[in-house]
Amino acid sequence: MKIENIELRRVHIPLVRPFRTSFGTSIAREITIVRVKTADAEGWAECAADTRPLYSSEFLDGSDLVIRDHLIPRLQALGDRLTAERVAGALEPVKGHTMSKAVLETAILDAQLKETGVSFGGYLGAVHDTVPAGVSVGIMDSIDELLEAVAGYLEEGYLRIKLKIEPGWDLEPVRAVRERFGDELLLQVDANTAYTLADARHLARLDPFDLLLMEQPLTEDDLLGHAHLARRITTPICLDESIESARDAATAITLGACSIINVKPSRVGGYLEARRIHDVAAAHGVPVWCGGMLETGIGRAANVALAGLPNFVLPGDTSASNRYYAEDLTAPFVLENGHLRVPTGPGIGVEVLPDVLAGVTASVTEIRF
Ligand code: SMG
Ligand code: MG
């Protein structure tokens, strides 16, 4: 495959409402969108790195620099031998930086699939036309505000609710949501590493609420801590931040550190590694679901395709466009009976809207190949 140029575009898009997690509040997404141009196609992807290194060590300005000075030169060195399947190997000598690697592999894969007329879902092995949608609900100022937000999402048709938790915002919001919306509601929590093993007894107090899972209670490199915690609570533990590769997944499962995995392609270096995690988990009988990083339609399209694979058996954080943005960068993803439709067109299967993109663009850097 011959690339003509790669464009790095910094965009700034306001969120429809602030999103608060245990590590901070987002009121907008400032991200880099990558466009790969070949003679016959344009491939698109978005980088999940946030302006601050709080979810993981990666952050936007650092990511742009790594992409420009350390990753793209390694792809240029491949010349015409470059394919999406060769990206990860070429970038392997660079340690870490999974989000920066993922955005390049994804944009190149999109261009490659568009050249050959294959959809992401078809390439990855999706077996479903639609995928069930959950929604991630941020930490709020009051329980009343939370209940109102959850009620609104359930009215829209969301099939599962995830509550962000932190010390001081855990038992009460979970109890309030259970009492108000009943035992049938699919409910889970995400701590984004806010607890320590010393909180085990406190976290066990969530057990009676019959949660689907507790996501990433402890810090990301504490697999052993999660394994200990798993023996002290009955709520299944799901790992997010801890899993950056299929090897991590195999280790965590073998240690008993998790019994469910949140798969985010951006966190693990791209869709090829994400599919390997799906496969490793399936081989162990461990269910997975597709996480989210507040993606625009560009990233969402590929995530929804991934969520169509057979072992994605739990609803994902793959919500509709209007959960995030008043105006998305693609035609909006909409809920249909609580589901999103897997795009079927070539590549990511959605078109980027040029006028909307131009309106949110802060700067563009073009790198000739
Ligand atoms: O895309 O709907 C979404 C966000 C889902 O909660 C979500 N993501 O830890 O799972 C997670 C968080 C990380 C992003 S917070 C800005
Ligand atoms: Mg998470």
Side-chain angles (χ1 to χ4, degrees):
M1 181 165 133
K2 182 144 180 45
I3 293 179
E4 291 176 353
N5 65 58
I6 296 187
E7 185 184 271
L8 306 183
R9 179 186 293 261
R10 181 70 68 94
V11 305
H12 192 280
I13 323 172
L15 290 167
V16 291
R17 69 194 306 172
F19 184 53
R20 182 172 153 206
T21 68
S22 63
F23 60 81
T25 304
S26 302
I27 54 168
R29 285 294 279 160
E30 190 176 341
I31 51 172
T32 293
I33 306 266
V34 170
R35 188 194 67 170
V36 166
K37 201 169 167 328
T38 68
D40 303 315
E42 276 183 4
W44 293 87
E46 69 182 85
C47 184
D50 195 7
T51 49
R52 302 164 297 172
L54 301 180
Y55 166 80
S56 73
S57 62
E58 280 184 283
F59 65 102
L60 188 57
D61 287 340
S63 168
D64 279 0
L65 189 146
V66 161
I67 289 173
R68 195 191 62 207
D69 293 353
H70 299 283
L71 302 182
I72 287 182
R74 288 176 185 273
L75 299 182
Q76 286 168 324
L78 285 178
D80 290 354
R81 291 188 306 115
L82 176 62
T83 62
E85 293 78 6
R86 291 195 174 120
V87 169
L91 303 184
E92 216 240 356
V94 175
K95 307 287 184 194
H97 297 286
T98 49
M99 292 175 176
S100 311
K101 292 173 178 176
V103 71
L104 288 176
E105 186 191 84
T106 306
I108 290 168
L109 180 57
D110 185 35
Q112 181 174 311
L113 293 178
K114 281 172 176 158
E115 283 184 350
T116 50
V118 177
S119 70
F120 254 67
Y123 175 81
L124 294 171
V127 294
H128 301 292
D129 299 335
T130 64
V131 298
V135 60
S136 175
V137 186
I139 294 166
M140 308 254 166
D141 290 334
S142 71
I143 297 287
D144 281 350
E145 198 186 337
L146 175 71
L147 292 176
E148 198 183 316
V150 172
Y153 288 133
L154 292 176
E155 223 158 87
E156 287 182 57
Y158 285 102
L159 300 171
R160 176 279 268 158
I161 298 291
K162 161 167 137 180
L163 301 182
K164 289 292 191 180
I165 60 167
E166 65 181 3
W169 181 265
D170 41 30
L171 297 177
E172 286 320 306
V174 168
R175 178 180 295 118
V177 169
R178 257 288 172 256
E179 277 175 6
R180 166 83 178 271
F181 301 103
D183 293 342
E184 297 302 304
L185 174 68
L186 299 181
L187 184 62
Q188 63 192 53
V189 293
D190 185 1
N192 289 109
T193 75
Y195 297 87
T196 72
L197 196 53
D199 298 310
R201 200 188 292 217
H202 177 73
L203 292 172
R205 294 177 67 195
L206 287 168
D207 287 343
F209 298 108
D210 199 22
L211 300 174
L212 280 174
L213 59 91
M214 179 188 297
E215 186 177 339
Q216 199 69 44
L218 312 180
T219 197
E220 54 266 43
D221 58 4
D222 193 8
L223 287 183
L224 205 52
H226 283 100
H228 286 305
L229 181 62
R231 283 187 234 114
R232 295 176 60 181
I233 65 176
T234 59
T235 306
I237 290 181
C238 169
L239 290 178
D240 173 358
E241 285 91 329
S242 293
I243 308 297
E244 291 194 342
S245 65
R247 181 180 291 131
D248 288 347
T251 305
I253 294 167
T254 305
L255 273 176
C258 68
S259 51
I260 300 173
I261 293 174
N262 168 342
V263 181
K264 284 180 187 161
S266 54
R267 192 194 66 224
V268 306
Y271 288 83
L272 301 183
E273 190 68 10
R275 182 173 58 184
R276 282 191 280 274
I277 294 175
H278 164 274
D279 295 348
V280 164
H284 286 272
V286 165
V288 304
W289 54 281
C290 186
M293 292 298 286
L294 308 170
E295 284 88 350
T296 71
I298 296 173
R300 187 162 313 282
N303 282 350
V304 169
L306 179 74
L309 268 65
N311 193 37
F312 280 82
V313 290
L314 294 168
D317 282 344
T318 41
S319 310
S321 293
N322 70 358
R323 144 77 179 83
Y324 312 94
Y325 306 110
E327 198 170 32
D328 207 337
L329 301 183
T330 64
F333 278 84
V334 292
L335 281 190
E336 299 170 38
N337 292 321
H339 290 67
L340 294 187
R341 194 161 284 285
V342 177
T344 52
I348 58 173
V350 293
E351 301 287 331
V352 178
L353 301 171
D355 294 347
V356 181
L357 185 64
V360 295
T361 296
S363 63
V364 182
T365 308
E366 190 186 314
I367 299 164
R368 302 189 64 79
F369 242 60

